[in-house]
Amino acid sequence: MKITQSKWKQKIPGWNPALTNELEGKAQLVLLFGGKSVLTSPEYPECINKLQQVHPHAHLLGCSTAGEIYDTQVMDDSLVATAIHFESSQIQGHCIDLDIGEDSFKAGDRLGKAIDTQGLVHVFVLSDGIQVNGSDLVKGLGQNLPANVSITGGLSGDGSRFEETFIIWDGLPKKGAIAALGFYGDTLKVGYGSLGGWKPFGTERVITKSKGNVLYELDGESALALYKKYLGTHAKDLPSSGLRFPLKLQRETEELSVVRTILSVNEDNQSLTFAGDVPEGTKVYLMQGADFKSLIAGANAAAITSRNALGNNLSPELAILISCVGRKLVLKQDIESEVEEVREIMGAIPAITGFYSYGEISPFRPGAACELHNQTMTITTFSEAPFISGAACELTP
């Protein structure tokens, strides 16, 4: 696997470092993560044109973000390009537009049916971050895939605005779209891990009225009114201020609990729309911003899990980090600390890219079911098996 990276920022002309033909036009994939202001700028077509000139045979796949990750830097209003040449693996991509009124399960099912499963190893999916129920998307997509095929990815972002998001497919930004990339090849190894670090507070509550990812009542009372109570003067900034109080869905075991964050509010029916399902009868806790150490520990554990999952002492060559916008709002000026923690675990070799999202898609760990998460650091690692670092070792969280 050979990888080059470059970034483009508004008001700073050109790609930095300058685009080169180091990959000799052999790149099959360019991952693109950018701020909405960049994707909708007059300069964007020129940026893409230059990328396509250097990488004429590559799929250009990506999305709008709530922050872009370039190595250990976390940036806003930039465009990060990671060009990848797989030496012994293949990729196939598909993108669909959401039909009017189409639910997320059916969209996932439709996308999954387009994926060739012969020799399939992994699926990486990027989705509209506002219109899609991530839980239903994962279920619909996964039912068409072999049991041994893993899925990771995330929901696109729009800073803290929650207005509109974009998927980038072969360079073109599209609203209301979902894209999936299938990875194929016997030598390709994929690892993943997803952990948070947020803490529940207050009393246990029960979802007494909901439909899909729309929450109406907790303990028979308005869920929106409850959130406004805890947010106080910050209630006027919903839905973004709701990221400070995500909802923990309690499962049979602590390990399998998941977290949900708010995407939108509806004052007319007093409802909250979350990034994934909030089933009636589920026991839940409100959560609050964890301290710095807890969030960094979550990033550390996700990095260790995703690296160890490669097996055979393989060292990752590429790490895609998808972290929640809520973590960015809490860590603020210290946000790069969680990316630096990942770099320390991964070592100097892998290229690191990624973005801050409205939802993360991954199993918690190898062997677990794929789910939609919020408030986590989710990492997907890739390595083509012949590459082995003599310094690699098993790590423990």
Side-chain angles (χ1 to χ4, degrees):
M1 195 181 299
K2 296 179 180 178
I3 301 171
T4 62
Q5 289 185 291
S6 189
K7 58 187 175 182
W8 184 89
K9 287 187 70 72
Q10 290 180 302
K11 301 180 181 178
I12 303 177
W15 287 96
N16 182 27
L19 300 177
T20 70
N21 62 354
E22 182 180 341
L23 300 183
E24 301 176 337
K26 295 180 180 179
Q28 301 101 325
L29 174 64
V30 179
L31 292 171
L32 285 168
F33 301 119
K36 185 178 74 172
S37 63
V38 175
L39 304 190
T40 57
S41 70
E43 296 82 10
Y44 179 77
E46 180 184 354
C47 294
I48 294 302
N49 183 53
K50 289 182 178 179
L51 274 174
Q52 291 173 326
Q53 289 176 6
V54 177
H55 307 293
H57 307 297
H59 276 302
L60 272 60
L61 170 69
C63 64
S64 61
T65 81
E68 304 83 54
I69 297 172
Y70 177 87
D71 193 41
T72 57
Q73 299 176 46
V74 177
M75 303 180 295
D76 293 299
D77 300 318
S78 70
L79 185 64
V80 174
T82 302
I84 308 157
H85 167 54
F86 296 96
E87 298 180 86
S88 56
S89 308
Q90 299 79 45
I91 62 169
Q92 293 183 21
H94 304 275
C95 183
I96 63 170
D97 296 316
L98 292 169
D99 292 334
I100 296 176
E102 182 178 31
D103 67 44
S104 300
F105 179 87
K106 290 181 179 178
D109 176 65
R110 183 158 58 93
L111 183 58
K113 288 176 178 175
I115 299 173
D116 182 4
T117 59
Q118 184 67 37
L120 183 64
V121 175
H122 182 76
V123 172
F124 182 72
V125 60
L126 295 173
S127 170
D128 177 281
I130 301 293
Q131 303 179 50
V132 170
N133 177 332
S135 299
D136 284 350
L137 169 63
V138 168
K139 292 173 185 175
L141 179 62
Q143 71 172 358
N144 294 286
L145 305 179
N148 64 323
V149 173
S150 50
I151 306 171
T152 61
L155 307 185
S156 52
D158 178 25
S160 59
R161 293 174 290 270
F162 292 85
E163 294 173 351
E164 59 181 358
T165 66
F166 294 85
I167 295 299
I168 302 171
W169 179 247
D170 283 344
L172 179 67
K174 306 176 68 174
K175 291 193 287 187
I178 310 171
L181 197 66
F183 292 83
Y184 303 79
D186 294 337
T187 64
L188 184 66
K189 305 301 177 185
V190 183
Y192 42 84
S194 179
L195 286 163
W198 288 61
K199 296 179 180 179
F201 75 98
T203 60
E204 180 182 85
R205 303 174 187 275
V206 177
I207 296 176
T208 49
K209 185 179 180 181
S210 67
K211 183 177 181 181
N213 62 334
V214 181
L215 175 63
Y216 297 95
E217 294 181 0
L218 289 171
D219 293 337
E221 299 180 2
S222 166
L224 179 55
L226 178 66
Y227 265 82
K228 287 183 175 181
K229 171 185 174 182
Y230 281 104
L231 287 169
T233 58
H234 296 291
K236 67 181 186 325
D237 298 320
L238 281 167
S240 61
S241 59
L243 292 166
R244 302 178 186 279
F245 293 95
L247 202 63
K248 176 183 178 181
L249 277 61
Q250 187 64 42
R251 301 287 181 81
E252 292 182 2
T253 65
E254 181 72 18
E255 181 183 23
L256 295 180
S257 62
V258 295
V259 177
R260 297 281 182 256
T261 55
I262 300 171
L263 293 180
S264 63
V265 301
N266 187 319
E267 293 285 354
D268 292 337
N269 61 20
Q270 292 289 288
S271 69
L272 302 165
T273 298
F274 288 80
D277 280 349
V278 283
E280 283 188 7
T282 303
K283 297 177 181 179
V284 300
Y285 285 91
L286 285 174
M287 303 185 79
Q288 58 188 349
D291 57 38
F292 174 89
K293 289 179 63 177
S294 296
L295 292 177
I296 301 305
N300 175 288
I304 291 172
T305 301
S306 63
R307 175 171 174 159
N308 285 349
L310 292 173
N312 298 321
N313 287 338
L314 284 176
S315 206
E317 298 174 78
L318 171 67
I320 303 175
L321 281 54
I322 302 179
S323 187
C324 185
V325 59
R327 300 170 68 88
K328 188 166 179 274
L329 293 178
V330 170
L331 287 172
K332 296 180 181 178
Q333 69 271 16
D334 294 319
I335 188 60
E336 291 184 347
S337 296
E338 71 169 359
V339 184
E340 291 167 353
E341 185 72 15
V342 173
R343 170 60 78 189
E344 185 173 341
I345 296 299
M346 296 292 175
I349 293 171
I352 292 178
T353 188
F355 68 100
Y356 283 81
S357 74
Y358 286 175
E360 306 84 63
I361 294 170
S362 175
F364 278 109
R365 50 173 171 70
C370 182
E371 298 199 58
L372 185 280
H373 307 279
N374 292 117
Q375 306 295 6
T376 68
M377 165 67 83
T378 292
I379 304 173
T380 309
T381 51
F382 297 85
S383 181
E384 290 185 296
F387 182 88
I388 301 178
S389 169
C393 61
E394 286 291 304
L395 303 171
T396 55

